[in-house]
Amino acid sequence: MNLVLVEDNEGLRSHWLKLLARLPGLKVVGVAGSALSAVETVLATRPDVVLMDLHLGDDNGLDALIRLREARCGALILLMSTQIEPALRAQAIALGADGVYDKASEIDAILGRLRGDLLVRPDDEEARLATLTELGLLDASPLEELDGIARLAAEIADTPVALVTLVDRERVFFLSRVGTELREISRSTFFCNHAIGAETLLVVPDACQDERFATSVAVRGEMGASFYAGAPLRLSNGVAVGNLCVIDRRLRALSEAQQRGVLVLGRAVAKTLELRRCERRLDGETRHRQRAERDLRALALRDPLTELPNRAGLNEQFSRLQRTARGSRRQITVLVVQVDRLDEITRNLGLEVSDRFVTTLGQRFAAAVRSGDMIGRVSCDRFAIIMDAPIQGSVALSEAIRIRSEVTRAVDVDGLRLHPSLSLGVAVSPQHGESLSSLLRCGERAASRASVAGGPRVELYAPEQTGLSQERFQLEGELREAIDTDQLCLYYQPIVDLQGQCLCIEALARWHHPRRGVILPDQFIPLAEERGLIESIGHVLLHRCLAQIVAWKRQGLAVPRVSLNVSAHQLHGQFDAILLSALARHGLSPSHLELEVTESALCLHGEQTALILSRLRKAGVSVAIDDFGVGYSSLARLRKMPLDRLKIDQSFARELPTSGTGQALVLAIIAMARALGLETVAEGVENEAQWRVMRELGCTGMQGRWLGAELPAESMEDWLRLRAGKPPAAEADAGAERMPG
């Protein structure tokens, strides 16, 4: 409720302001000290109540009262003075005062009168105001469709005024109006404050005789309302945000048909507002999803330690540069910088020192490159710079030497003075390749040659540096032989929960080469994919995995499920039918198996991949996304993919626990996974500190050598036996031999 205080005595005015401030819901919107300023202030602010002294110095408060009533001011006007004679009281009432009080002895009566007129709010007020905010229509321009409904309501009810109102915290806003120029009115004594609490149409046939509204500004002011009928605008959440109402200056009634018409139109307004609310909510969700996708995309394209672009981020920038370079006499040069002896720094001085060392180098590279050149971190100990240079001259080599000299200044970390040693490799497009991956590969070989040659130095890539073609042909032949001669096997590594209980066992491919020893998958799986051998390898490893599960089951060892990596090149055709058939042949239910696919696998065949994985998941096979965070998957694609778990790439664990940026990125990934209903597994947990941080960030599963190393099948069997409280297999066999026959 809004009030104007008129008091010429400064001390009394201050006292009254303190008293009025104690009344919740009452707001003093103006203060005046003379009859003239009182009239001007009241007409300008349109308050609900005027509290005015009768004696204003040389002015008479009755003069102000007369002028206000002549101006059709409908506010409640309360006069106060000292030693009021009965004749003066009667005169003031006759002139339009609503009360005359002795300001010395009747202060409590004045405050009681004001307290009695204060706004009574419904129980769902906060929910109601929140819904109003969702609509976003307060102070909005009239809506054409609602204007039409308001006009139709006025015609049906045969009234000069019809309004679509929104009941705000202290006012009633007229969203659509017919027959009045007012845009809003105080809420405290207006009809709509009562109508929003009604279950059906609120009808006030004679407002002047209704004690709730007789002193209302709407009744006594310029609106001059004598009749009111209002239908609540109740939305789907059950709260009423306003009313569709009709108002007349005449005393009258509505027929049953007219009342039904106003109610029906009120429901039409409510449906229009509900549609608006849903549209705004959908827009908000869309914007939120787009922001999340942008954040995820930024996360996927940035190195978490240095905040420089990662390999994927550089690839995007390279593609743009490549498009602009076509047709011009310019070449793209890729400079690969290898940080020598970084593993030695990490091993001897710790991960925190190593991280700060690498971060400083990243900052120096970013400051040293030319404007327009691009810098990124492409692996743990390598940076890459993409340069756009003229074909003429040796600009690339001279730039490489300049950058190396600027970056190799000593780095101080906690009192330690570290001297960077950098080996640089240069590859040029199109001579050494046209894709970024081929240029990086050539640059890395040149950098490795520079490092082996004693570094630090700059090497330009030359094909004769490696016998790559011959070596790859030889390796391909040996891999084909390995498939046929049973050289491929599986190692197993446990995935555990926060209590150390085994959640799953991951099966990891290994190649037992007769001369080279154990070869890890990253050294032969890409070649298998390139040469079309991956399906044969996948077939061998799948049946080996299923046979091992059966063997463990026969020994009474509880294995929740085994996770097997699947290449993107396998996810086509009848892969799902072949896999389910293999499970049936081994007598296993699909729940015994989990497939791990990379982000690239999700992108390679799109809908076909999603369809195959969806059929497998419906059959009971779990699906996990492996090495998450180093590729790029849009939030929209992840939402559509049939996934159960998200495995966070081990590079993130390496950044913990000292990297605040790394922790923030892991927290963002876990929050996103939860939002999508996915479990999370942290890969590469190598120490207790990493485990503790991952646990605190909310990761539910862990995998890494600190929790359990990659083991051959017989060693994993012993690990499972110990977890189950059983003796290792060798002891069990020995015990069996000692038993009497």
Side-chain angles (χ1 to χ4, degrees), residues 350-365:
L351 186 60
E352 181 178 358
V353 172
S354 173
D355 283 351
R356 291 173 63 181
F357 177 65
V358 170
T359 301
T360 301
L361 293 183
Q363 293 168 348
R364 290 182 180 179
F365 279 123

Side-chain angles (χ1 to χ4, degrees), residues 697-711:
L697 293 176
C699 195
T700 53
M702 308 280 183
Q703 181 180 5
R705 292 180 180 174
W706 187 70
L707 299 161
E710 305 96 329
L711 300 172

Side-chain angles (χ1 to χ4, degrees), residues 127-379:
R128 214 182 54 72
L129 293 174
T131 304
L132 266 180
T133 301
E134 287 183 9
L135 287 173
L137 289 173
L138 289 171
D139 298 312
S141 300
L143 301 181
E144 184 176 346
E145 59 267 38
L146 297 186
D147 285 348
I149 294 176
R151 286 192 295 270
L152 185 57
E155 290 177 14
I156 289 174
D158 189 24
T159 59
V161 177
L163 305 168
V164 174
T165 69
L166 299 176
V167 182
D168 199 3
R169 188 178 295 276
E170 302 294 343
R171 60 170 180 157
V172 177
F173 174 66
F174 300 163
L175 180 58
S176 290
R177 63 193 193 280
V178 174
T180 180
E181 293 302 315
L182 292 175
R183 290 304 309 276
E184 63 180 51
I185 196 168
S186 175
R187 174 181 171 182
S188 60
T189 56
F190 193 58
F191 306 100
C192 290
N193 185 52
H194 294 266
I196 58 171
E199 292 299 323
T200 184
L201 194 69
L202 174 68
V203 179
V204 182
D206 188 351
C208 296
Q209 299 302 315
D210 192 316
E211 63 180 11
R212 296 173 296 175
F213 310 114
T215 58
S216 168
V217 173
V219 176
R220 302 200 309 191
E222 62 183 271
M223 185 175 283
S226 294
F227 169 83
Y228 171 92
L233 304 178
R234 200 171 301 280
L235 304 191
S236 62
N237 59 357
V239 302
V241 295
N243 302 96
L244 171 66
C245 61
V246 292
I247 297 174
D248 204 332
R249 292 176 179 269
R250 301 172 295 154
L251 296 179
R252 43 98 40 90
L254 294 182
S255 67
E256 288 188 9
Q258 289 173 317
Q259 291 186 35
R260 284 197 302 272
V262 173
L263 282 171
V264 168
L265 292 177
R267 286 194 286 271
V269 173
K271 288 181 180 179
T272 301
L273 296 179
E274 182 65 41
L275 179 60
R276 160 90 178 194
R277 176 169 168 251
C278 293
E279 288 174 346
R280 281 176 58 84
R281 181 176 292 175
L282 182 60
D283 288 344
E285 290 175 355
T286 301
R287 287 192 297 271
H288 177 74
R289 184 169 62 252
Q290 290 171 343
R291 282 196 300 271
E293 289 196 18
R294 285 196 299 270
D295 292 345
L296 181 61
R297 183 177 179 81
L299 174 67
L301 300 178
R302 288 276 165 185
D303 170 57
L305 178 62
T306 63
E307 297 186 357
L308 294 172
N310 58 15
R311 190 179 290 258
L314 277 179
N315 196 52
E316 279 207 354
Q317 297 182 23
F318 178 83
S319 298
R320 288 196 295 269
L321 181 60
Q322 196 174 44
R323 287 193 294 270
T324 60
R326 287 195 180 106
S328 64
R329 290 188 56 77
R330 303 183 71 79
Q331 65 182 11
I332 299 174
T333 301
V334 172
L335 175 62
V336 175
V337 184
Q338 179 171 305
V339 183
D340 298 327
R341 303 191 303 277
L342 182 61
D343 58 340
E344 185 179 330
I345 293 174
T346 305
R347 187 169 57 254
N348 294 323
L349 301 178
L351 186 60
E352 181 178 358
V353 172
S354 173
D355 283 351
R356 291 173 63 181
F357 177 65
V358 170
T359 301
T360 301
L361 293 183
Q363 293 168 348
R364 290 182 180 179
F365 279 123
V369 298
R370 302 175 307 170
S371 174
D373 289 347
M374 307 160 198
I375 172 72
R377 187 184 182 207
V378 294
S379 69

Side-chain angles (χ1 to χ4, degrees), residues 504 542 545-546 549 560-566 571 575-584 588-597 610-625 641-645:
C504 180
L542 172 63
C545 174
L546 298 180
I549 297 173
R561 62 180 179 278
V562 175
S563 180
L564 185 66
N565 290 276
V566 178
L571 296 172
F575 174 80
D576 52 319
I578 294 170
L579 186 142
L580 293 174
S581 174
L583 282 164
L588 293 172
S589 72
S591 62
H592 282 94
L593 189 65
E594 177 171 279
L595 298 183
E596 289 192 18
V597 295
L611 187 61
I612 289 173
L613 294 178
S614 180
R615 288 197 293 259
L616 287 171
R617 192 161 175 263
K618 286 179 181 177
V621 177
S622 300
V623 180
I625 182 170
M641 285 295 171
L643 301 173
D644 297 282
R645 265 160 292 283

Side-chain angles (χ1 to χ4, degrees), residues 472-704:
R472 286 176 68 82
F473 276 120
Q474 181 179 349
L475 192 64
E476 179 188 346
E478 293 173 348
L479 184 57
R480 292 181 184 276
E481 183 180 345
I483 297 170
D484 297 332
T485 57
D486 209 25
Q487 295 176 21
L488 300 177
C489 67
L490 290 171
Y491 276 42
Y492 299 89
Q493 185 176 35
I495 299 170
V496 300
D497 64 15
L498 300 181
Q499 287 72 44
Q501 297 300 312
C502 183
L503 295 173
C504 180
I505 294 176
E506 181 177 358
L508 302 162
R510 296 292 186 268
W511 177 5
H512 276 287
H513 194 282
R515 295 188 313 278
R516 306 181 193 214
V518 177
I519 299 179
L520 298 178
D522 59 352
Q523 296 175 288
F524 66 88
I525 292 297
L527 177 63
E529 291 174 334
E530 180 183 329
R531 300 302 188 188
L533 300 175
I534 192 62
E535 292 191 44
S536 297
I537 292 175
H539 177 81
V540 169
L541 295 180
L542 172 63
H543 284 278
R544 190 177 292 274
C545 174
L546 298 180
Q548 186 61 62
I549 297 173
V550 171
W552 283 333
K553 282 174 62 65
R554 285 174 180 165
Q555 296 171 45
L557 298 176
V559 179
R561 62 180 179 278
V562 175
S563 180
L564 185 66
N565 290 276
V566 178
S567 166
H569 298 272
Q570 293 176 259
L571 296 172
H572 64 89
Q574 300 299 311
F575 174 80
D576 52 319
I578 294 170
L579 186 142
L580 293 174
S581 174
L583 282 164
R585 195 176 312 135
H586 286 273
L588 293 172
S589 72
S591 62
H592 282 94
L593 189 65
E594 177 171 279
L595 298 183
E596 289 192 18
V597 295
T598 61
E599 292 178 85
S600 61
L602 296 180
C603 303
L604 187 61
H605 297 297
E607 292 183 4
Q608 184 182 13
T609 298
L611 187 61
I612 289 173
L613 294 178
S614 180
R615 288 197 293 259
L616 287 171
R617 192 161 175 263
K618 286 179 181 177
V621 177
S622 300
V623 180
I625 182 170
D626 194 20
D627 300 334
F628 183 80
V630 295
Y632 169 64
S633 292
S634 72
L635 185 58
R637 180 179 287 117
L638 285 180
R639 288 183 63 188
K640 294 177 183 177
M641 285 295 171
L643 301 173
D644 297 282
R645 265 160 292 283
L646 185 151
K647 299 186 72 175
I648 303 170
D649 186 70
Q650 60 182 340
S651 61
F652 290 94
R654 284 199 299 267
E655 305 291 349
L656 304 178
T658 57
S659 171
T661 301
Q663 292 186 27
L665 293 173
V666 171
L667 187 61
I669 291 174
I670 292 172
M672 181 202 67
R674 283 177 178 167
L676 296 174
L678 304 179
E679 298 175 14
T680 50
V681 173
E683 298 180 306
V685 178
E686 304 296 328
N687 55 58
E688 183 178 358
Q690 293 172 350
W691 178 82
R692 288 186 181 279
V693 174
M694 282 294 188
R695 181 189 64 180
E696 291 168 2
L697 293 176
C699 195
T700 53
M702 308 280 183
Q703 181 180 5

